[in-house]
């Protein structure tokens, strides 16, 4: 099994440690992983802003770059969802779009493909899990509260493999944090209030950290928390799963 590692723009620019942690974790599990250095944005910012056609060259480049891998793994639920569900329509019926169907979030990959049952990681801290909208409602990383289905959470399943961790979930556990891509820019006051409400519920669990599969959501909440002086830290789930490597 050959894996291509896709590191989204904001992870590469602002949270490179998340990309490094993903690579190290995959290698530690014996995965044959490659990082194509000429990779670019997946086009999600253009799509969120209403300029879907401008994303076509990026979707084409992504497919050319990753089509020969068995899986394309990304430490970002939102980017993985964008590639999987939007690239085929962007490129149209005349293009095979081979990479889209192989693109998967790191949590999905570890839980559903590799089926990880043990990890050497240790993280002796209280952690509150943030379920991002794309992760819940497009990738199925956890069960959406609005549906009458058996409850599950793949993020928590993986975190339970980490020694010393205490796991919590906030009230209204899958409610949006307010980031929403362009929404945070177009409706900053509403977005900020949503983030404040979400952070308050996470803090109420008694957790030291908020974790999740999307650096974008964590970045949004981290900015609000720092501005408001909230005593909570933020960490991507893959950094916990790879702790100690």
């Amino acid at each position: 099994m050959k894996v291509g590692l896709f590191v989204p723009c904001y992870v590469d620019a602002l949270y490179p440690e998340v990309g490094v942690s993903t690579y190290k974790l995959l290698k530690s599990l014996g995965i044959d992983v490659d990082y194509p250095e000429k990779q670019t944005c997946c086009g999600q910012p253009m799509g969120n802003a209403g300029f879907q056609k401008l994303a076509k060259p990026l979707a084409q480049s992504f497919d050319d770059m990753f089509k020969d891998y068995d899986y394309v793994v990304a430490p970002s639920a939102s980017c993985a969802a964008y590639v999987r569900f939007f690239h085929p329509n962007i490129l149209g019926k005349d293009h095979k779009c081979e990479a889209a169907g192989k693109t998967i979030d790191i949590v999905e990959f570890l839980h559903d493909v590799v089926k990880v049952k043990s990890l050497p990681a240790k993280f002796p801290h209280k952690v509150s899990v943030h379920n991002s909208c794309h992760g819940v409602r497009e990738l199925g990383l956890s069960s959406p509260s609005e549906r009458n289905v058996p409850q599950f959470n793949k993020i928590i399943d993986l975190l339970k493999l980490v020694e010393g961790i205490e796991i919590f979930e906030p009230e209204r556990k899958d409610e949006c944090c307010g980031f929403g891509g362009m929404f945070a820019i177009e409706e900053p006051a509403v977005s900020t209030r949503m983030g404040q409400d979400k952070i308050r519920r996470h803090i109420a669990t008694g957790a030291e950290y908020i974790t999740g599969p999307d650096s974008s959501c964590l970045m949004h909440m981290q900015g609000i928390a720092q501005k408001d002086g909230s005593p909570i830290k933020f960490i991507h789930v893959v950094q916990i799963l790879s702790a100690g490597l």
Side-chain angles (χ1 to χ4, degrees):
M1 179 171 59
K2 184 72 173 179
V3 166
L5 174 61
F6 172 55
V7 177
C9 308
Y10 58 89
V11 174
D12 180 57
L14 300 174
Y15 301 99
E17 63 275 13
V18 173
V20 172
S21 294
T22 304
Y23 182 83
K24 286 182 176 179
L25 180 57
L26 292 172
K27 292 292 286 186
S28 75
L29 294 170
I31 305 297
D32 184 7
V33 58
D34 181 37
Y35 174 71
E37 294 185 6
K38 293 185 179 181
Q39 60 183 272
T40 63
C41 176
C42 67
Q44 183 177 189
M46 294 78 161
N48 285 345
F51 299 99
Q52 194 85 289
K53 290 182 179 179
L54 295 180
K56 188 170 183 177
L58 296 176
Q60 180 70 65
S61 175
F62 185 96
D63 195 61
D64 292 341
M65 183 76 62
F66 288 105
K67 64 183 179 181
D68 294 327
Y69 292 98
D70 297 308
Y71 288 95
V72 183
V73 177
S76 167
S78 62
C79 290
Y82 185 78
V83 170
R84 190 188 305 175
F85 295 109
F86 289 88
H87 275 197
N89 290 331
I90 291 171
L91 292 177
K93 296 180 180 179
D94 296 332
H95 196 285
K96 286 185 178 181
C97 198
E98 298 173 70
K102 304 175 184 179
T103 302
I104 189 168
D105 172 74
I106 182 65
V107 171
E108 284 184 288
F109 183 71
L110 297 176
H111 189 280
D112 298 346
V113 179
V114 181
K115 300 184 187 299
V116 174
K117 299 300 181 184
S118 64
L119 288 169
K122 296 181 181 179
F123 196 74
H125 300 283
K126 296 179 179 180
V127 174
S128 185
V129 175
H130 179 70
N131 303 298
S132 65
C133 298
H134 288 91
V136 176
R137 294 177 178 85
E138 289 188 317
L139 301 185
L141 300 186
S142 60
S143 51
S145 58
E146 69 271 12
R147 296 185 61 197
N148 185 24
V149 297
Q151 296 293 293
F152 66 89
N153 193 309
K154 298 175 184 179
I155 306 167
I156 291 178
D157 288 346
L158 293 175
L159 288 174
K160 286 180 177 178
L161 302 176
V162 177
E163 184 179 339
I165 195 169
E166 292 185 63
I167 306 167
F168 302 89
E169 283 189 286
E171 182 187 6
R172 299 164 75 164
K173 58 188 178 182
D174 59 359
E175 185 176 82
C176 180
C177 68
F179 177 62
M182 289 298 294
F183 176 76
I185 297 173
E186 295 169 345
E187 298 287 349
V190 178
S191 173
T192 299
R193 180 57 186 270
M194 291 173 70
Q196 289 171 331
D197 288 346
K198 192 73 179 183
I199 292 166
R200 187 178 68 252
R201 295 188 185 105
H202 278 298
I203 291 175
T205 67
E208 303 165 67
Y209 288 86
I210 297 174
T211 193
D214 257 315
S215 289
S216 54
C217 296
L218 298 176
M219 174 181 66
H220 173 66
M221 290 187 287
Q222 184 177 29
I224 294 171
Q226 289 178 346
K227 184 177 180 180
D228 292 347
S230 298
I232 193 79
K233 292 174 281 189
F234 297 80
I235 187 169
H236 193 284
V237 65
V238 78
Q239 292 175 274
I240 297 177
L241 300 178
S242 64
L245 290 179

